[in-house]
Amino acid sequence: LAIAAMLAAGLWQFASNGQLDPGKWVVYLRADYLAFLGKGLLGTLQVTAIAAVVAFPFGLLLALGRLSRLRPLSWISTVWIEFFRGIPMLLVVYAFLLALPAYGVTFPRFWMLVFPMILVSSATTAEVFRAGIKAVDRGQHEAAAAIGLSSRDALFSVILPQAVRLVLPSLILALVTLLKDSTLGYVVSVNELQFQGKNMVSITRYLVQTYLVVSVIYIVINFLLTRVALALDARMKGRAAA
């Protein structure tokens, strides 16, 4: 009821200021405006996909490194994970945009966004994988040893496949986080959805309408990804119960 009252108050405020005038919304049905936002959406999906393809396997390697019996490797992996888990991604973006160029290290603007996403996501994803590996029943390790598998073979043939299945819903939620992190592309002027929305505001002068449309697009994508994660989680629980 409280949320409904807030929405009603917001709609009333918009209406009293003429923000609900159909003329201010119908422009978003124009083919050229839809193509403009579509270009930004494509950029967002590209950034998110590339970051996920690199960050998730890298996160798995970091998790294995942290669990390693080799102390130097475990220590380096732990420091990496804790550092990038604890730092806001915006600061990493600014490091690529402002700090590194001061020392002569430059990257294309696209990678000024993707690299920070990879660095931060790899650290958070590493903890997801580590939790999945530790969640595999100890009896699986013992069964693998009983049939003569070495620790290495048991890890890659028995433990990891089960761990990945366990954390798959969490990985999809991590993908949602990556998608939202891509909105920082406006800082480095990458043509993703948020940046295109900012440009559209300068064209239409309709700030409220533009960002509401952009927000709805993000909500729909994240809702679909979340539903996939919930469906996978339910399927995993169903298999466990069986």
Side-chain angles (χ1 to χ4, degrees):
L1 290 176
I3 293 174
M6 291 173 62
L7 290 174
L11 288 173
W12 179 83
Q13 187 69 25
F14 285 159
S16 63
N17 288 283
Q19 298 296 334
L20 297 183
D21 181 4
K24 293 183 177 181
W25 293 90
V26 72
V27 295
Y28 299 98
L29 298 178
R30 287 175 44 176
D32 54 343
Y33 283 11
L34 290 174
F36 191 79
L37 288 177
K39 182 179 179 181
L41 177 59
L42 179 61
T44 291
L45 296 177
Q46 287 177 336
V47 167
T48 303
I50 293 173
V53 165
V54 179
F56 289 0
F58 188 27
L60 176 58
L61 292 177
L62 287 170
L64 294 175
R66 187 166 189 174
L67 293 170
S68 174
R69 296 177 181 177
L70 298 175
R71 287 188 177 275
L73 179 58
S74 178
W75 184 82
I76 292 172
S77 300
T78 300
V79 170
W80 179 288
I81 292 169
E82 295 302 327
F83 178 79
F84 284 108
R85 280 180 66 205
I87 190 171
M89 201 187 86
L90 181 59
L91 291 182
V92 185
V93 172
Y94 277 127
F96 277 82
L97 178 64
L98 303 174
L100 293 181
Y103 296 96
V105 181
T106 59
F107 297 93
R109 292 189 175 274
F110 181 85
W111 294 104
M112 286 183 185
L113 175 62
V114 174
F115 281 150
M117 291 174 66
I118 291 172
L119 294 175
V120 174
S121 181
S122 65
T124 55
T125 306
E127 289 300 274
V128 173
F129 280 117
R130 188 167 73 97
I133 293 171
K134 294 178 75 68
V136 175
D137 189 85
R138 184 64 189 173
Q140 298 295 318
H141 297 264
E142 297 171 354
I147 62 174
L149 292 179
S150 65
S151 298
R152 179 188 176 88
D153 290 338
L155 176 64
F156 288 100
S157 300
V158 179
I159 307 305
L160 277 185
Q162 296 184 61
V164 170
R165 286 196 295 269
L166 286 174
V167 302
L168 192 56
S170 298
L171 290 180
I172 295 178
L173 294 179
L175 192 62
V176 172
T177 301
L178 270 177
L179 184 72
K180 292 187 288 186
D181 286 343
S182 70
T183 58
L184 293 177
Y186 79 91
V187 176
V188 292
S189 301
V190 174
N191 284 330
E192 45 80 41
L193 185 56
Q194 179 79 1
F195 183 73
Q196 290 294 86
K198 177 183 176 182
N199 290 335
M200 182 166 281
V201 170
S202 65
I203 296 172
T204 63
R205 303 297 179 184
Y206 298 153
L207 185 146
V208 172
Q209 291 77 7
T210 298
Y211 282 119
L212 280 177
V213 169
V214 169
S215 297
V216 168
I217 295 174
Y218 278 117
I219 290 171
V220 169
I221 297 173
N222 288 333
F223 174 79
L224 293 176
L225 289 174
T226 303
R227 295 304 302 176
V228 171
L230 291 174
L232 286 173
D233 189 45
R235 185 175 180 180
M236 298 298 177
K237 291 179 179 178
R239 285 185 176 181

